[in-house]
Amino acid sequence: NYQYQRNVTNYDELVDEVERIFSTDSYLSINYPHCAWIYISPKHTLITEKFFAKEKIKNYLEFTSPIDDLDEIHYKQINRTDIYSIFVVPSPLANKLTQYYKKITYINQAYPLIHRCINTTEDNSIFINLHDGIADMVLNNNKQFALHNSFEIYHLNDAVYYINALILQSGVNTRSMPIHISGDVLREEIDELTKYFPMITASKNHRMAMLIGQENAYRFFNLLTAHECE
């Protein structure tokens, strides 16, 4: 799990960093037959199959996000749904990665959350993942995927505001809404959030958690579930 600063403007530096990581990490140097790569970016949107047309994916994305010249637009249908995820990956990064992996699947960071929402048995719930100042939130309402949105989070109070907004849309009582949180959030911050949302818990019980320990598994939820999204 490697991190690089968001809002990168110098992609040469990013590519150099990827080369350095691949040259020093023994696990990444293995010739895997296939890999999944989660790219974290607020430049993404969802659209139903009814309105989806491959030749219009740039138009769809431009409604919500500014597109740069070096943005390579990707799309992927979310398993067991009629919803397409449309998102960007910088072309210099994509070109470099294809030198290491001939078969690679790109996934936007919201996909694992939506995947979990679709497969939950809960009547109502919220799934949240925080990473690099971005909070992805997914609402399950009456056992249906109802909403996804991404927000920039600068303070814990921002998370409280946006969670409240989602709960209001669901019509469920704040104190009875299960909330599952993962990513770059400390245990102390989760404890603080329980003052407002008693049913908030760190995402857990994933079958791959044994690899890194249950205590920290919630921090790598997206990474541990990426293989289920291919």
Side-chain angles (χ1 to χ4, degrees):
N1 182 49
Y2 292 95
Q3 296 186 33
Y4 196 79
Q5 68 187 56
R6 189 158 54 91
N7 298 326
V8 176
T9 54
N10 188 335
Y11 289 120
D12 290 337
E13 290 184 4
L14 176 58
V15 169
D16 289 343
E17 180 68 5
V18 169
E19 284 188 326
R20 184 195 67 76
I21 291 170
F22 272 81
S23 65
T24 57
D25 191 306
S26 59
Y27 289 104
L28 293 177
S29 63
I30 297 173
N31 186 24
Y32 297 105
H34 184 250
C35 80
W37 185 282
I38 299 177
Y39 185 71
I40 299 168
S41 169
K43 297 181 180 181
H44 65 100
T45 192
L46 302 174
I47 191 164
T48 60
E49 188 173 24
K50 179 179 179 180
F51 299 104
F52 179 82
K54 181 179 177 180
E55 63 274 11
K56 295 182 179 179
I57 56 175
K58 183 177 180 180
N59 303 106
Y60 301 143
L61 201 54
E62 284 178 327
F63 277 120
T64 59
S65 308
I67 308 300
D68 298 329
D69 291 339
L70 293 178
D71 282 340
E72 188 174 290
I73 302 176
H74 291 253
Y75 67 92
K76 180 169 175 54
Q77 187 169 10
I78 297 174
N79 294 341
R80 296 177 55 197
T81 75
D82 64 347
I83 300 169
Y84 282 85
S85 169
I86 303 173
F87 55 96
V88 303
V89 177
S91 57
L93 175 63
N95 292 338
K96 173 56 63 176
L97 291 174
T98 55
Q99 295 179 20
Y100 297 101
Y101 302 118
K102 299 306 178 186
K103 188 176 181 182
I104 182 168
T105 298
Y106 292 103
I107 301 169
N108 179 264
Q109 79 274 2
Y111 194 133
L113 277 189
I114 297 171
H115 178 268
R116 183 174 183 189
C117 174
I118 291 166
N119 288 280
T120 187
T121 57
E122 295 170 327
D123 292 330
N124 298 283
S125 48
I126 291 175
F127 301 90
I128 304 170
N129 189 75
L130 294 95
H131 190 97
D132 198 19
I134 298 176
D136 284 286
M137 299 187 182
V138 174
L139 172 65
N140 156 45
N141 200 9
N142 296 319
K143 294 185 178 179
Q144 297 288 326
F145 166 56
L147 179 69
H148 161 262
N149 215 332
S150 295
F151 307 99
E152 292 196 346
I153 299 292
Y154 301 99
H155 189 274
L156 204 61
N157 288 341
D158 297 331
V160 172
Y161 174 83
Y162 291 123
I163 294 170
N164 260 321
L166 255 66
I167 293 176
L168 284 173
Q169 291 196 46
S170 73
V172 177
N173 185 283
T174 300
R175 303 192 68 81
S176 60
M177 172 68 88
I179 302 172
H180 308 278
I181 192 166
S182 58
D184 289 341
V185 56
L186 302 175
R187 286 283 179 179
E188 308 89 82
E189 293 174 320
I190 298 176
D191 291 340
E192 183 69 20
L193 286 170
T194 59
K195 295 178 182 178
Y196 309 95
F197 313 106
M199 297 286 284
I200 194 167
T201 57
S203 297
K204 57 183 179 180
N205 296 330
H206 193 278
R207 61 188 177 86
M208 290 183 69
M210 66 183 71
L211 298 175
I212 57 176
Q214 189 65 260
E215 182 65 20
N216 293 311
Y218 78 95
R219 305 201 66 167
F220 303 97
F221 171 80
N222 273 12
L223 182 67
L224 295 176
T225 53
H227 70 286
E228 298 176 3
C229 303
E230 296 181 65

